[in-house]
Amino acid sequence: MDISVIVLCIIIALLIGGFTAYMLWAQKKFTQLEGDNAKKEEGLRIQIAAYERLALFAERIKLGALVNRLYDSSLSARQMQQVLLNSIREEYEHNVTQQLYIKPELWEAISKMKDQNAYIINQLAALAPGNATALDLNKKILDFNLGNPDATMNKLVLDALQFEVKQLINR
């Protein structure tokens, strides 16, 4: 066999081997990129789900929503106050882990919204006479809510949640 044929075979073998090695490397890189993208997409889904849950939380602790959902005519105003406050606390505790997926400033606003709604309920309950019924307290809360539509942070928090979700989706 001629030396040039041997050299040509070696060159062809090196080219085939190099091409095969490159294809394996490219496939590995592509698989890594796919995995990274899948992880990012899953992280985005988790974040969006957290924002959805917190939007539901903000809706559920709106003063009007609380009163409509929890009204019990057999309760006194003080008992109704406790039912409302317990519902806010339970809703908050149910969603407390969502703070892991949102900006700290937004979680602080959510916490303040919860505290503010509880404060309003407590203040209105304190104004009710000792023999007031749940209906009396609920009327005070609804009158306050209707007379001061921007007095609670619920709309502000919902707008902030919506803004953050749009930012996540558009990146």
Side-chain angles (χ1 to χ4, degrees), residues 76-149:
S76 70
R78 300 288 178 237
Q79 291 169 324
M80 189 69 208
Q81 174 189 10
Q82 287 307 307
V83 167
L84 295 170
L85 295 175
N86 286 341
S87 180
I88 290 172
R89 187 183 84 268
E90 288 169 5
E91 291 281 344
Y92 181 79
E93 288 173 357
H94 181 71
N95 289 290
V96 75
T97 58
Q98 301 311 306
Q99 68 183 297
L100 298 172
Y101 307 107
I102 67 171
K103 292 181 178 179
E105 302 84 12
L106 189 51
W107 181 253
E108 187 174 329
I110 288 167
S111 295
K112 285 181 180 178
M113 174 188 62
K114 171 200 59 95
D115 294 341
Q116 181 192 45
N117 286 1
Y119 178 79
I120 291 168
I121 291 167
N122 285 333
Q123 291 301 304
L124 293 173
L127 296 174
N131 63 348
T133 65
L135 181 61
D136 297 329
L137 177 60
N138 288 354
K139 281 183 182 179
K140 281 185 178 290
I141 292 170
L142 290 174
D143 287 345
F144 174 84
N145 201 36
L146 289 173
N148 305 288

Side-chain angles (χ1 to χ4, degrees), residues 145-162:
N145 201 36
L146 289 173
N148 305 288
D150 296 328
T152 65
M153 293 177 60
N154 291 77
K155 177 152 178 31
L156 179 68
V157 166
L158 285 166
D159 288 346
L161 289 167
Q162 185 178 29

